[in-house]
Amino acid sequence: MPMYIADYKKFDVINGKGLRHSLFTSGCTHHCKGCFNAATWNFSYGTPYTKELEDRIIADLNMPDVKIAGLSILGGEPFQNVEVLSPLISRVRRECPGKDIWIWSGYTFEEIIADANKLKLLLDCDVLIDGKFMLEERNLKLKWRGSNNQRVIHIQESLIAGQAISYE
């Protein structure tokens, strides 16, 4: 199934640490009440993801005159687009040395590592913001997340420890 993207933003300073580029995938079955990006629930929202966009993302991450920290992948639900995102993440690892990858999900870390297909996508990422947005837990003072139940997780340390380790 082709993946659609809701948006691709260059020079994002909101979604992750440092100056980044952000990819917003389309398609999400979580349907969190109060979601800031409900238009992305539709798997056909936006424009089709293409090889040309993937090449542009790689080139943008390697801009010679601007220090880009990395790529942020949000949604929609990125872990419902594993087949398309895995090759992109592999290319970022191979072709963009020193760039980190942050990824947001309505699934928890524990749910992701229990699913081999989702785990495949997680393995090459650095930071996970996990958990569904909960309107009753909304907190506008939090960095990088919208509700108190969501966690900012250091993925590689968590995989070694076998449990979620906070990034902050």
Side-chain angles (χ1 to χ4, degrees):
M1 182 166 120
M3 181 177 82
Y4 281 71
I5 63 152
D7 202 359
Y8 170 62
K9 292 186 182 299
K10 291 174 26 176
F11 310 118
D12 185 353
V13 295
I14 303 295
N15 296 303
K17 194 173 185 178
L19 185 61
R20 327 182 53 75
H21 302 314
S22 295
L23 181 68
F24 294 80
T25 64
S26 292
C28 178
T29 59
H30 296 302
H31 296 186
C32 301
K33 183 180 175 186
C35 174
F36 85 104
N37 214 2
T40 66
W41 294 353
N42 182 334
F43 282 85
S44 299
Y45 178 76
T47 58
Y49 181 82
T50 63
K51 174 78 166 77
E52 290 75 24
L53 175 60
E54 185 172 300
D55 291 343
R56 190 170 112 208
I57 292 169
I58 297 298
D60 290 345
L61 287 168
N62 288 318
M63 291 177 164
D65 300 326
V66 182
K67 180 166 177 31
I68 302 298
L71 178 67
S72 294
I73 303 173
L74 308 97
E77 172 53 67
F79 286 91
Q80 293 175 354
N81 288 294
V82 170
E83 285 72 25
V84 176
L85 289 173
S86 287
L88 168 64
I89 289 174
S90 293
R91 279 193 70 191
V92 171
R93 283 290 171 234
R94 278 193 322 270
E95 300 176 32
C96 307
K99 308 300 181 193
D100 63 16
I101 301 170
W102 289 45
I103 192 163
W104 275 251
S105 179
Y107 297 107
T108 64
F109 173 78
E110 292 78 9
E111 291 171 323
I112 293 168
I113 63 172
D115 181 310
N117 194 43
K118 291 177 180 64
L119 178 60
K120 179 174 64 172
L121 184 61
L122 187 71
L123 289 174
D124 280 331
C125 297
D126 299 290
V127 178
L128 169 70
I129 291 74
D130 83 336
K132 294 178 183 171
F133 171 74
M134 297 177 67
L135 186 58
E136 58 277 5
E137 294 285 328
R138 181 173 62 185
N139 182 342
L140 300 177
K141 296 179 181 175
L142 297 171
K143 282 176 30 180
W144 307 314
R145 54 197 164 128
S147 59
N148 290 320
N149 63 298
Q150 294 174 311
R151 303 175 293 181
V152 182
I153 297 171
H154 192 293
I155 294 170
Q156 300 308 316
E157 287 182 13
S158 298
L159 291 172
I160 291 168
Q163 63 181 10
I165 304 293
S166 177
Y167 176 81
E168 298 174 295

